[in-house]
Amino acid sequence: MRTVLLTGFEPFDQDPINPSWEAVKALDQTLIKEDVRIVSRQLPCVFSQAPTRLLDLLVSFQPELVIAVGLGPGRTDISIERVAINLNDARIPDNLGEQPIDTPVVCGGPAAYFSTLPIKAMARALKAEGIPASVSQTAGTFVCNQVFYCLQHALTGSGVRSGFIHVPYLPQQAGLAPQPVASMSLATQVQGLRVAIITALETVDDLHETGGQVS
Ligand code: PCA
């Protein structure tokens, strides 16, 4: 049996729920193909703990594909991240009150890593199903970016494909927000992840079409 590892995050910043965990949890133990099983695990939203937990999961499950998922507050679609940068710059404290400012994720590591997922093909496949999606050029500078960077750092040269997806708020979260903010139903998020995983498993060479932005 082959394994796809999905991770989602615990709630953070006073939110009682994190859609990334709700969505990946819904796919835990799913047979996404005859011989491919999804394993979903939660990561702490803590700079000092998330990377170690992630590395333990890579060792335990020996996955052939890894997609880490996080909430992108204010994201309007399923955002398939292109690049992780070697920088922590926390606008808010993490769940242990740590707030690193301008520190490297990995001392001496390269400035950035690219996703090794077929990000263009994934965005296109989601849109073809009527699910809003795009390639994103930044995963931010908080714990999601840190986890994404550590994931790419750990798997460089391994042949295991990996990357990161940000999902929007759930409608019930957006309904409580003081300002209008985008949201997406849990069912749509789960279906989006399902399509993203199947596309990643089936696509060897990514599409050559633009996923860029002017600014
Ligand atoms: N989103 C945060 C961290 C955890 C999460 O789900 C981020 O985008 O960094």
Side-chain angles (χ1 to χ4, degrees), residues 147-166:
V147 159
F148 184 16
Y149 187 95
C150 290
L151 178 62
Q152 304 310 104
H153 188 70
L155 293 177
T156 294
S158 68
V160 177
R161 287 175 118 182
S162 56
F164 199 96
I165 292 178
H166 268 114

Side-chain angles (χ1 to χ4, degrees), residues 8-12 18-21 43-45 47 69-73 75 92 139-146 164 166-167:
F9 278 96
E10 66 182 1
F12 68 104
N18 188 324
S20 69
W21 172 238
L43 295 178
C45 188
F47 280 100
V69 184
L71 164 66
R75 297 290 177 121
I92 53 171
T141 54
F142 195 50
V143 185
C144 287
N145 173 75
Q146 183 210 31
F164 199 96
H166 268 114
V167 292

Side-chain angles (χ1 to χ4, degrees), residues 7 11 26 34 44 55 61 65 89-90 96 137-138 162 177 188 194 198:
T7 64
E34 214 172 67
L55 297 182
F61 293 111
L65 173 73
D89 186 0
L96 276 187
Q137 324 301 339
T138 173
S162 56
T188 306
R194 195 188 285 275
I198 291 171

Side-chain angles (χ1 to χ4, degrees), residues 1-15:
M1 186 63 70
R2 299 145 72 201
T3 301
V4 173
L5 174 64
L6 293 184
T7 64
F9 278 96
E10 66 182 1
F12 68 104
D13 197 20
Q14 289 154 29
D15 263 329

Side-chain angles (χ1 to χ4, degrees), residues 19 71-78 132 167-177 179-186 188-189:
L71 164 66
R75 297 290 177 121
T76 57
D77 63 8
I78 294 196
V167 292
Y169 280 126
L170 296 170
Q172 62 263 40
Q173 295 177 288
L176 293 173
Q179 309 287 341
V181 67
S183 65
M184 184 182 281
S185 76
L186 182 60
T188 306
Q189 295 195 17

